[in-house]
Amino acid sequence: MSDMPYTYIVDHIPTSTAKNRRPGISMTPEYVTIHSTANPSSTARQERAWLTNSNNIATASFHVVVDEKEAVECIPLNEVAWHAGDGRGPGNTKSIGVEICESGDREKTLQNVAELVAKLLHERKWGIDRVKQHYDWSGKNCPRILRDTGRWPEFLGMIEKELKEMSEHWAEKYYKFLTEEKGIVIREKRFDDTVTRGELFALMARMMGYKE
């Protein structure tokens, strides 16, 4: 995992917010859709505030917005948000919309988003094929900060790296220590097998110097 942590904040916009931002429709998500804000100076909290601004008449919203320090969940992940530009299509009605802020430290923000998306995938037992661009649903050039720079494949790689680390068995690090650093030959890597008392006694004896 990264050494650049972020704070996850749940701050849902009220159910009384206009239906063109929080429609209140139940959703069972099947995808995660990535966007970028197209606003080079706005933070995650400012994007959250935009959703409830009385001057905002746009039919647009998102589930989570991420910057270099924070991720703010604005709409519950089991509700529809208007973010994919495909009306009642699967982008809007079957995907979690994640906005990447364009302000601040770009690399730190991208790492935070990669960690967040990997967590969403891991919790749902999804693969990287569930990650979509806004472009995939409506043809809009979004997330432009990844599309315009050709970094979409790299970004998917970042997510896959985080997902792999999350998916590793807790004992993997001990296995690697024994086999790679200590040169111990282990015939089978079956982490969740039970150990009999006899096997435990044999293991302890060998650790204490017993020779066959």
Side-chain angles (χ1 to χ4, degrees):
M1 296 292 290
S2 167
D3 60 356
M4 300 185 290
Y6 62 93
T7 303
Y8 192 93
I9 299 165
V10 177
D11 186 13
H12 295 155
I13 62 176
T15 55
S16 58
T17 305
K19 297 295 184 183
N20 58 345
R21 288 184 295 286
R22 185 173 177 181
I25 302 170
S26 179
M27 176 182 73
T28 300
E30 297 180 9
Y31 306 96
V32 178
T33 300
I34 307 300
H35 307 259
S36 58
T37 61
N39 187 336
S41 61
S42 185
T43 65
R45 288 179 185 262
Q46 289 169 332
E47 289 294 321
R48 158 61 178 80
W50 176 79
L51 292 177
T52 54
N53 188 318
S54 59
N55 295 321
N56 179 6
I57 60 172
T59 301
S61 54
F62 43 83
H63 292 93
V64 187
V65 58
V66 187
D67 64 21
E68 62 184 331
K69 297 178 180 178
E70 300 175 326
V72 182
E73 182 180 310
C74 305
I75 293 177
L77 305 187
N78 61 354
E79 287 187 19
V80 166
W82 302 128
H83 62 94
D86 65 342
R88 297 274 176 160
N92 280 331
T93 63
K94 292 185 178 181
S95 78
I96 298 168
V98 177
E99 286 275 357
I100 303 172
C101 284
E102 299 188 20
S103 61
D105 185 326
R106 174 70 51 80
E107 299 311 310
K108 206 168 183 181
T109 300
L110 288 177
Q111 183 60 48
N112 290 346
V113 177
E115 289 187 21
L116 170 65
V117 174
K119 183 172 184 291
L120 293 173
L121 297 178
H122 180 66
E123 289 173 344
R124 292 160 178 78
K125 296 181 172 56
W126 291 349
I128 196 69
D129 59 305
R130 301 292 188 115
V131 181
K132 304 295 182 182
Q133 303 176 56
H134 184 175
Y135 173 85
D136 295 328
W137 304 119
S138 66
K140 181 176 180 179
N141 185 33
C142 178
R144 70 183 183 90
I145 59 171
L146 298 175
R147 291 179 55 79
D148 288 355
T149 56
R151 296 188 66 183
W152 179 252
E154 175 192 349
F155 178 67
L156 290 180
M158 292 169 64
I159 297 172
E160 287 187 301
K161 179 176 181 293
E162 295 295 330
L163 186 59
K164 180 181 178 183
E165 290 184 14
M166 291 178 187
S167 300
E168 279 190 351
H169 194 282
W170 63 267
E172 184 73 33
K173 61 184 177 182
Y174 303 116
Y175 173 81
K176 288 180 178 178
F177 172 78
L178 293 171
T179 58
E180 296 176 10
E181 295 191 30
K182 296 300 181 181
I184 297 174
V185 177
I186 300 176
R187 292 188 180 89
E188 295 183 82
K189 185 170 69 171
R190 300 191 311 204
F191 292 133
D192 295 314
D193 278 6
T194 56
V195 178
T196 67
R197 288 191 179 187
E199 290 169 333
L200 179 60
F201 295 154
L203 175 63
M204 292 174 66
R206 290 186 186 114
M207 290 175 64
M208 299 178 74
Y210 177 84
K211 301 295 184 181
E212 298 289 349

